[in-house]
Amino acid sequence: MKKVIVSGMRTTGKLHLGHYLGVIKNWVKLQDDYDCYFFAADWHALTTKYDDTNELRQNTIDVITDWLACGIDPEKSVIYVQSLVPEVAELNVYLGMITPQNWVERDPTLKDMAKILKTKEGQGSQVNYGLMGYPVLMSADIMMMNADLVPVGSDQVAHIEITRDITRRFNNLYGEFFHEAQPLLNECALICGLDGNKMGKSFKNDIKISDTEEETAKKIMTAITDRSRLRKDDLGHPDECEVAFKYWQIFGSDEEIARVKEECEKGLRGCAQCKRELGAKINSILAPIRERRRYYEQNPQLVEEIIRTGSQKARQRAGEVLDKVKDLVKIYK
Ligand code: TRP
């Protein structure tokens, strides 16, 4: 029996290289060794974007199209949409009943989300009951498939701690059933944004999987380099290069990295030329992914079918788990 993996992403728009390198690439590798369930967390998107839902549906499609482009394979993994598995909402009710209020109030990731929200204007700045339930709903996602492992970025670990607490409490109250899911972090280097800060859509410093080659090349030209270097034949300091050399270290081969470092240090490579080459390098690595993305974009009915089939499969397992939960809780059936 293979171990079960669950992971999801909030559907807040097209994905960028931070998602790809930090999470999806890892998922692609895990597909062969585990029973994988990957879902688009559209309810979780609603916890903060409830005031503007015009793009909610398209965002779900975009996220799943990005996954398919990156190599998440519907033949190997179950790909589904959270809101198409209503069993998750039902499990969320049972878990909510046994989760002390202070467990969710303590969640540091949630506190950060609330803080960001409060800086917004108007209605959308409110922290609602649904947002407070974020870690409980996330626990329902994970426990719905009785998962063993949850491959996520380190920012999600605090939430998963709560999932483990809720799991233990459920098992204590109603009988041992749920596995205690463990976060699975990957070793990959975190990619910073073009300005050197954390890559994020809201910071406008990201490179999207779906960007064209021209857009990518243009964005790379804005990447911060060695701020002390004014003329192209000044000697460079790769270690102080804030973005471009870091990208080389992620995308380049060992020989390329060594060559870039040497030429920079000897003043043989200007920053503009360096970034032109870097843009071409990144584009060549992304080429097969973008080609697959275009294929799915041009065949939207295929994506739709993958979503429907995957969600049916997810409901199958969810139904079995929920049935067991109802027995354990001794609710009317
Ligand atoms: N909170 C995750 C994020 O922001 C998305 C998510 C929702 C998730 N439910 C999950 C991740 C369950 C892993 C498991 O990206």
Side-chain angles (χ1 to χ4, degrees), residues 76-93:
K76 294 181 184 167
S77 300
V78 179
I79 299 170
Y80 64 104
V81 174
Q82 185 183 35
S83 64
L84 289 178
V85 184
E87 288 79 3
V88 172
E90 198 172 333
L91 180 57
N92 182 54
V93 171

Side-chain angles (χ1 to χ4, degrees), residues 6-11 19 23 27 37 39-42 44 82 109 113 134 137-142 149-153 155-156 159-160 163:
V6 168
S7 197
M9 275 184 195
R10 296 202 321 145
T11 53
H19 296 113
V23 183
W27 290 3
Y37 291 82
F39 71 97
D42 52 353
H44 277 105
Q82 185 183 35
T109 311
M113 289 176 79
Y134 193 109
L137 182 58
M138 190 159 152
S139 302
D141 295 324
I142 295 167
L149 296 165
V150 190
V152 283
D155 58 323
Q156 300 297 312
H159 292 315
I160 297 172
T163 303

Side-chain angles (χ1 to χ4, degrees), residues 158-264:
H159 292 315
I160 297 172
E161 269 319 308
I162 296 182
T163 303
R164 293 162 60 79
D165 290 338
I166 295 175
T167 300
R168 278 196 291 271
R169 175 158 275 208
F170 185 99
N171 288 347
N172 278 331
L173 283 167
Y174 304 120
E176 284 294 324
F177 170 58
F178 284 113
H179 302 167
E180 234 177 84
Q182 302 249 22
L184 193 65
L185 296 170
N186 68 351
E187 316 81 55
C188 124
L190 218 60
I191 186 169
C192 63
L194 294 157
D195 56 1
N197 298 316
K198 183 177 160 61
M199 186 177 280
K201 160 175 111 151
S202 45
F203 312 128
K204 297 200 178 4
N205 64 358
D206 63 344
I207 299 169
K208 301 256 194 303
I209 292 166
S210 51
D211 281 345
T212 63
E213 298 204 336
E214 294 71 35
E215 282 164 335
T216 305
K218 225 165 118 188
K219 284 185 180 180
I220 294 289
M221 294 311 286
T222 71
I224 307 285
T225 54
D226 175 355
R227 291 183 199 266
S228 69
R229 197 174 178 200
L230 300 177
R231 261 163 284 122
K232 97 174 178 5
D233 34 10
D234 286 350
L235 302 190
H237 311 91
D239 296 336
E240 282 160 47
C241 180
E242 286 180 40
V243 179
F245 189 63
K246 294 205 178 101
Y247 281 14
W248 273 116
Q249 288 172 307
I250 293 172
F251 296 102
S253 65
D254 289 348
E255 297 90 76
E256 281 167 328
I257 298 168
R259 183 167 53 82
V260 169
K261 183 169 165 29
E262 192 187 327
E263 290 178 1
C264 175

